[in-house]
C-alpha cells in the first residue's frame, strides 16, 4: 500500500483572495497526475463517515486514489471553509478561481501538469464550471450526478420555485461550515441569505446570467465521462445528459440504475465502482495508459424495470414515437378526481376536464390522508391507458402537448408519468413514478430543442383568464420498460408534496387560488408523446 500524506495549502487568486485546500499525495517526490475537487463543503469534513446521513460526502475514495498513484487536491471554494472572500454560488468569480487553481497545480513540482476533475453533485457541477473556463492544463472531467444549469436544474424547474435550495443552504451548507468535523478547525458562518436572493430572482435575469455556464461547454474538446443516475431525475439527471451533448471531444455517457439517492452516493464512495468505471478513464487520459476505456460504447443506459444495460451510439437512442391522446372517457383504473384516459386515437368530440385548487382535502401539498394511509392521486387529475397488451420500452424524452385555460393569469402544471401495476390477490394497484415534468404557463415560449425541450425564462408572458393556450412540456429523460398488464398513467396537478417528493417539492403561494381546465378533442389535441426504444 502506498502511504498517503496530506497538507493544508494556500493558493492566492489574481484578485488577492486566498483559497485554502487540502493536498493528498503519495509519499515521495512524484510527479503525479492530480484529481481536483472543489465545493463549499469544506475539506475539514473529509473524514466523516461514508453514510447518507452526511450527504455532502461526495469526494469519492480519496485514499484509494492515492494508492493508485494520484495526488488529490480538495479546495474550499471562495467564501467557504478556510478560504477567504465571499461565497458566490457558482458565479463568474468562483468559476475563474477554478481555472487559476488548475493552472497553479500544473506549476507544482509534484504535478505532471495533467489535472482531472472528480466528484459528485456540487463537485460535479464544479467540474462543468472547470470545463467552461477551459484552463490549458485541465485534461479531462468525469462529473458524477451533477447539473450544468443551476436555474433550471436546482432553483426553478419549468419556472416553478423548488424548495430544494432552501433545504440545501439552511440544512446543509451553512451548518456544515459552522460545525466542522476536524478539532480546532475554524467555524465559518456563511451569512449570505441565499434563499431570499433566489426568491427575488424568479426569472432568468442578470443574477442567473452570472451563474450560467452551460453554453460555455459548447465545443469543449477535453475528454468527458458524464455519469448520471435515473433516480436523481428531480435534480441532476438532465445536466449530465445536456453536458454530454454539448461536448465535442472524446466523450461517453453512462446512466446508472441506482434505485435511490443513498444508493447513488454509496456507489460513488465505493472503490469497486471507481475501479470498474472511473479509474480506466483517468488512467487513460491522465497517465496515457491503454485501459480499453476508449473502446467502450459512447452511451450506456441502465434500463429501469428490465434489469439490463443497453448500449447506444448516441443520445437519445434511435426510436419511434407513441402518441396517446388525453380523453375524458373513464379509464376504470384510477380513483382520481376525473379518472381520464390516454387513448391512441384522437377523441371524436371536444371535451374538457377542470379542477379547482387548493383542494379542501389536500394535506402537505396535494396528497390526501385517509384511514388507510396517504393517497397521492385521489384529489388530482389522472389520464390512464388500458392495461398494456405487450411490454413497452421507452428511451428518451417524453413530451406533453397540453391545451389549458385558467381562471388566473398564470398556471403551474406538474406532471408525473407513472406505471400503474395491478395488485395481486385483490390488493390495490401499485404506482411507480417513471419521470416528471414541470412548467409555469407564463414561461411557455420555447427556447430550443437542442438538448431536450427548453423554454425561455427571461420574458414571462401572463395568460388571459378563460383563453386556451398550448403548452409544450418536456418530461425528464428516462429509459424504462412498462410491463404488459400494467397501465401508463399521467398524473397532473398544480402542486406536489414533500410527502411524495421530499426536498424536491415546489413552493405553493397564496395567489394560487383558482380553476384550471384541460381541453381535449379534435380542435385541441392534448397528447402525450412517448419515445420508444428501437430494440
Amino acid at each position: 500500500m502506498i502511504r498517503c500524506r496530506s497538507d493544508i495549502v494556500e493558493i492566492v487568486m489574481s484578485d488577492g483572495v486566498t483559497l485554502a485546500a487540502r493536498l493528498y499525495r503519495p509519499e515521495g517526490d512524484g510527479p503525479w497526475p492530480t484529481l481536483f475537487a472543489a465545493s463549499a463543503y469544506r475539506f475539514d469534513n473529509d473524514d466523516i463517515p461514508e453514510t447518507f446521513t452526511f450527504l455532502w460526502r461526495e469526494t469519492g475514495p480519496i485514499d484509494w486514489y492515492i494508492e493508485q498513484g494520484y495526488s488529490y487536491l480538495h479546495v474550499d471554494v471562495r467564501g467557504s471553509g478556510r478560504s477567504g472572500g465571499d461565497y458566490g454560488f457558482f458565479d463568474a468569480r468562483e468559476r475563474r478561481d477554478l481555472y487559476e487553481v488548475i493552472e497553479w497545480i500544473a506549476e507544482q513540482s509534484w504535478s505532471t501538469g495533467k489535472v482531472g476533475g472528480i466528484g459528485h453533485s456540487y463537485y460535479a457541477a464544479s467540474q462543468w464550471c472547470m470545463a467552461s473556463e477551459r484552463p490549458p492544463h485541465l485534461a479531462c472531467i468525469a462529473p458524477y450526478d451533477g447539473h450544468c444549469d443551476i436555474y433550471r436544474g436546482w432553483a426553478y424547474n419549468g419556472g416553478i420555485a423548488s424548495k430544494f435550495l432552501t433545504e440545501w443552504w439552511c440544512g446543509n451548507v451553512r451548518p456544515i461550515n459552522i460545525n466542522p468535523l476536524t478539532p480546532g478547525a475554524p467555524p465559518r458562518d456563511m451569512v449570505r441569505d441565499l434563499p431570499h436572493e433566489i426568491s427575488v430572482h424568479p426569472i432568468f435575469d442578470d443574477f442567473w446570467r452570472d451563474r450560467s455556464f452551460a453554453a460555455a461547454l459548447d465545443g469543449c474538446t477535453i475528454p468527458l465521462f458524464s455519469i448520471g443516475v435515473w433516480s436523481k431525475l428531480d435534480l441532476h439527471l438532465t445536466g449530465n445528459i445536456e453536458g454530454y451533448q454539448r461536448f465535442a471531444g472524446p466523450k461517453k455517457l453512462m446512466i446508472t440504475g441506482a434505485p435511490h439517492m443513498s444508493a447513488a452516493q454509496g456507489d460513488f464512495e465505493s472503490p469497486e465502482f471507481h475501479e470498474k468505471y472511473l479509474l480506466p478513464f483517468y488512467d487513460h487520459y491522465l497517465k496515457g495508459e491503454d485501459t480499453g476505456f476508449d473502446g467502450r460504447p459512447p452511451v450506456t443506459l441502465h434500463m429501469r424495470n428490465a434489469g439490463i444495460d443497453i448500449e447506444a451510439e448516441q443520445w437519445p437512442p434511435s426510436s419511434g414515437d407513441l402518441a396517446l391522446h388525453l380523453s375524458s372517457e373513464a379509464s376504470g383504473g384510477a380513483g382520481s378526481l376525473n379518472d381520464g384516459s390516454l387513448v391512441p386515437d384522437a377523441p371524436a368530440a371536444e371535451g374538457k376536464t377542470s379542477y379547482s385548487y387548493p383542494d379542501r382535502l389536500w394535506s402537505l401539498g396535494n396528497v390526501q390522508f385517509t384511514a388507510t394511509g396517504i393517497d397521492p392521486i385521489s384529489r388530482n387529475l389522472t389520464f390512464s391507458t388500458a392495461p398494456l397488451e405487450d411490454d413497452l420500452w421507452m428511451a428518451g424524452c417524453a413530451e406533453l402537448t397540453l391545451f389549458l385555460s385558467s381562471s388566473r393569469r398564470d398556471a403551474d402544471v406538474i406532471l408525473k408519468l407513472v406505471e400503474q401495476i395491478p395488485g395481486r390477490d385483490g390488493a390495490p394497484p401499485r404506482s411507480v413514478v417513471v419521470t416528471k415534468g414541470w412548467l409555469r404557463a407564463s414561461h411557455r415560449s420555447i427556447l430550443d430543442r437542442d438538448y431536450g425541450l427548453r423554454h425561455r425564462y427571461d420574458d414571462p408572458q401572463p395568460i388571459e383568464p378563460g383563453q386556451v393556450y398550448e403548452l409544450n412540456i418536456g418530461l425528464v429523460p428516462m429509459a424504462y420498460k412498462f410491463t404488459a398488464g400494467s397501465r401508463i398513467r399521467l398524473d397532473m396537478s398544480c402542486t406536489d408534496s414533500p410527502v411524495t417528493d421530499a426536498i424536491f417539492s415546489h413552493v405553493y403561494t397564496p395567489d394560487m387560488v383558482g380553476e384550471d381546465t384541460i381541453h381535449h378533442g379534435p380542435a385541441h389535441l392534448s397528447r402525450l408523446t412517448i419515445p420508444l426504444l428501437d430494440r
Side-chain angles (χ1 to χ4, degrees):
M1 177 181 294
I2 299 177
R3 294 180 60 196
C4 172
R5 57 178 292 189
S6 66
D7 304 285
I8 295 176
V9 297
E10 294 185 339
I11 310 164
V12 181
M13 299 292 98
S14 58
D15 65 350
V17 170
T18 298
L19 301 189
R22 187 176 294 279
L23 172 64
Y24 302 85
R25 49 187 170 140
E27 293 286 354
D29 297 326
W32 306 280
T34 303
L35 300 175
F36 175 37
S39 82
Y41 300 164
R42 64 181 308 159
F43 59 73
D44 287 319
N45 295 323
D46 282 350
D47 295 328
I48 60 175
E50 298 171 4
T51 76
F52 189 58
T53 303
F54 301 120
L55 55 81
W56 51 88
R57 183 69 164 83
E58 298 168 339
T59 61
I62 296 174
D63 290 349
W64 182 83
Y65 271 109
I66 306 306
E67 294 174 9
Q68 312 312 312
Y70 288 89
S71 58
Y72 190 116
L73 188 77
H74 183 184
V75 70
D76 292 341
V77 298
R78 177 180 298 242
S80 70
R82 301 191 189 211
S83 290
D86 297 321
Y87 180 63
F89 185 53
F90 296 100
D91 65 357
R93 182 63 245 191
E94 182 176 325
R95 301 197 300 275
R96 180 64 189 184
D97 287 347
L98 300 176
Y99 177 106
E100 294 181 11
V101 172
I102 289 168
E103 294 309 295
W104 176 87
I105 292 171
E107 295 173 353
Q108 306 310 302
S109 61
W110 42 263
S111 169
T112 64
K114 287 186 175 290
V115 180
I118 190 171
H120 173 197
S121 192
Y122 194 120
Y123 297 89
S126 288
Q127 292 181 69
W128 295 123
C129 291
M130 295 174 200
S132 74
E133 293 291 305
R134 307 197 183 208
H137 290 91
L138 181 63
C140 62
I141 63 169
Y144 176 89
D145 184 36
H147 218 296
C148 62
D149 187 325
I150 305 303
Y151 177 88
R152 291 190 301 127
W154 288 24
Y156 287 94
N157 308 127
I160 304 171
S162 170
K163 296 178 182 177
F164 165 73
L165 278 172
T166 298
E167 173 67 23
W168 173 75
W169 183 253
C170 298
N172 183 1
V173 180
R174 291 194 66 195
I176 66 176
N177 272 274
I178 293 172
N179 303 284
L181 173 70
T182 306
R188 181 62 171 268
D189 187 4
M190 301 173 72
V191 297
R192 183 172 194 168
D193 190 352
L194 188 61
H196 169 71
E197 288 183 76
I198 290 168
S199 71
V200 297
H201 293 282
I203 67 171
F204 194 84
D205 56 11
D206 288 343
F207 176 88
W208 293 109
R209 290 186 188 96
D210 190 34
R211 292 159 177 81
S212 176
F213 48 88
L217 301 174
D218 288 350
C220 275
T221 57
I222 63 170
L224 166 71
F225 188 16
S226 179
I227 306 177
V229 182
W230 291 130
S231 58
K232 297 295 288 297
L233 63 92
D234 292 277
L235 186 61
H236 290 314
L237 177 61
T238 54
N240 280 103
I241 294 172
E242 180 178 339
Y244 168 81
Q245 290 177 294
R246 287 183 179 274
F247 264 61
K251 61 180 183 177
K252 299 193 188 298
L253 173 68
M254 182 173 81
I255 305 182
T256 81
H260 46 73
M261 290 175 63
S262 181
Q265 182 178 359
D267 280 348
F268 196 73
E269 291 306 316
S270 163
E272 291 77 15
F273 183 88
H274 286 262
E275 184 171 28
K276 182 176 181 179
Y277 297 112
L278 284 159
L279 185 63
F281 172 75
Y282 290 129
D283 280 352
H284 183 57
Y285 290 110
L286 295 178
K287 293 184 177 180
E289 297 178 1
D290 182 6
T291 63
F293 181 85
D294 55 353
R296 295 183 181 182
V299 176
T300 304
L301 310 173
H302 181 80
M303 177 62 66
R304 285 185 60 198
N305 200 39
I308 63 171
D309 291 342
I310 62 171
E311 299 174 353
E313 293 298 313
Q314 62 187 13
W315 172 267
S318 58
S319 63
D321 289 329
L322 171 65
L324 297 170
H325 297 83
L326 278 61
S327 167
S328 56
E329 179 183 350
S331 76
S336 62
L337 285 174
N338 65 317
D339 184 31
S341 292
L342 290 174
V343 295
D345 298 323
E350 287 295 317
K352 57 185 179 180
T353 303
S354 300
Y355 76 109
S356 300
Y357 50 86
D359 189 281
R360 62 185 179 83
L361 295 179
W362 283 352
S363 298
L364 288 178
N366 62 347
V367 300
Q368 180 182 4
F369 287 86
T370 71
T372 57
I374 296 167
D375 189 333
I377 68 168
S378 60
R379 309 304 299 176
N380 298 275
L381 301 184
T382 64
F383 297 88
S384 309
T385 66
L388 298 175
E389 296 182 1
D390 301 296
D391 292 348
L392 186 150
W393 294 58
M394 164 187 173
C397 308
E399 182 177 328
L400 178 68
T401 301
L402 186 70
F403 288 88
L404 175 143
S405 62
S406 179
S407 64
R408 301 171 56 235
R409 294 272 291 166
D410 215 335
D412 289 353
V413 181
I414 296 181
L415 306 171
K416 294 180 181 177
L417 185 62
V418 174
E419 180 180 29
Q420 181 174 303
I421 303 168
R424 295 181 179 179
D425 302 323
R430 180 168 60 91
S431 297
V432 176
V433 176
V434 176
T435 186
K436 302 178 183 180
W438 313 268
L439 184 64
R440 176 159 287 178
S442 57
H443 293 298
R444 61 192 177 278
S445 296
I446 295 174
L447 177 63
D448 60 50
R449 294 177 178 271
D450 296 339
Y451 310 106
L453 177 59
R454 301 193 308 160
H455 293 267
R456 296 186 64 93
Y457 296 108
D458 59 354
D459 185 24
Q461 300 293 317
I463 60 177
E464 292 296 328
Q467 183 172 329
V468 180
Y469 292 86
E470 179 179 345
L471 308 181
N472 298 278
I473 309 172
L475 281 72
V476 176
M478 187 53 61
Y480 189 89
K481 183 192 80 170
F482 290 90
T483 305
S486 295
R487 298 175 186 256
I488 299 172
R489 194 181 78 219
L490 183 68
D491 296 354
M492 189 181 309
S493 181
C494 64
T495 188
D496 48 20
S497 169
V499 177
T500 53
D501 299 89
I503 59 175
F504 305 115
S505 58
H506 294 80
V507 177
Y508 196 93
T509 54
D511 61 321
M512 295 180 67
V513 178
E515 181 180 74
D516 292 350
T517 299
I518 310 305
H519 300 261
H520 35 75
H524 299 100
L525 290 178
S526 291
R527 59 198 181 276
L528 174 68
T529 303
I530 296 176
L532 303 181
L533 179 67
D534 182 359
R535 296 179 61 194

